[in-house]
Amino acid sequence: MPQIYFLCTGNSCRSQMAEGFAKKILGPNWRVASAGIETHGLNPNAVKVMAEKNIDISHNQSKLINSSYLNSSDLVITLCGDARDRCPVTPPSVKKEHWPLQDPAQAQGSDQEILDVFRQVRDEIEQRVLDLNQSINNK
């Protein structure tokens, strides 16, 4: 079964949203997980905007990178420069991609403005996972 790993700094927003979309879009034929270089806890705004897409990530937990899962993955996707730069070395068999996404946890402004940034990042992640699924199915 193919395996994908989404990595970001704290495993609180972007990688959690990517995991949620990948589980829904790629389906049960893929093993999907996410992790961080550090653990920052699950961001409640990420939970809120994913619920708007009928994806429940409220029971997810912020996790550190598991080296055995990392090294046995078919594809590792980093979602921020920090994760890309600090990701442990992987075997040549592991394909790596980098999706440079804004960190919604750094958004400032009113609650509505912050949620809008989370929605923008969420929608970009959804489109990237849809594109990934398309490219997998075209192989």
Side-chain angles (χ1 to χ4, degrees), residues 52-82:
E52 294 172 357
K53 293 281 190 169
N54 295 314
I55 297 174
D56 182 6
I57 63 169
S58 64
H59 299 291
N60 291 14
Q61 294 185 335
S62 184
K63 301 169 293 296
L64 287 173
I65 294 173
N66 175 305
S67 58
S68 63
Y69 191 94
L70 176 74
N71 290 327
S72 63
S73 291
D74 296 283
L75 176 60
V76 171
I77 298 176
T78 53
L79 304 167
C80 67
D82 189 39

Side-chain angles (χ1 to χ4, degrees), residues 72-103:
S72 63
S73 291
D74 296 283
L75 176 60
V76 171
I77 298 176
T78 53
L79 304 167
C80 67
D82 189 39
R84 179 196 61 211
D85 298 343
R86 294 172 58 196
C87 181
V89 174
T90 57
S93 61
V94 177
K95 182 180 176 205
K96 286 186 175 181
E97 277 187 35
H98 179 63
W99 296 353
L101 299 167
Q102 175 183 0
D103 184 357

Side-chain angles (χ1 to χ4, degrees), residues 113-130:
E113 291 167 329
I114 291 169
L115 277 176
D116 286 345
V117 172
F118 270 84
R119 288 183 184 107
Q120 176 188 355
V121 173
R122 174 204 63 198
D123 293 347
E124 185 175 348
I125 291 169
E126 180 181 30
Q127 187 58 55
R128 286 178 179 267
V129 174
L130 286 166

Side-chain angles (χ1 to χ4, degrees), residues 4-6 15-33 50 55 77 99 125-126 129-130 132-133:
I4 189 168
Y5 213 10
F6 294 99
S15 55
Q16 294 282 357
M17 290 191 281
E19 178 182 350
F21 279 122
K23 284 180 176 176
K24 179 178 181 178
I25 294 166
L26 299 178
N29 295 329
W30 278 78
R31 256 188 240 108
V32 178
M50 290 300 285
I55 297 174
I77 298 176
W99 296 353
I125 291 169
E126 180 181 30
V129 174
L130 286 166
L132 174 67
N133 186 51

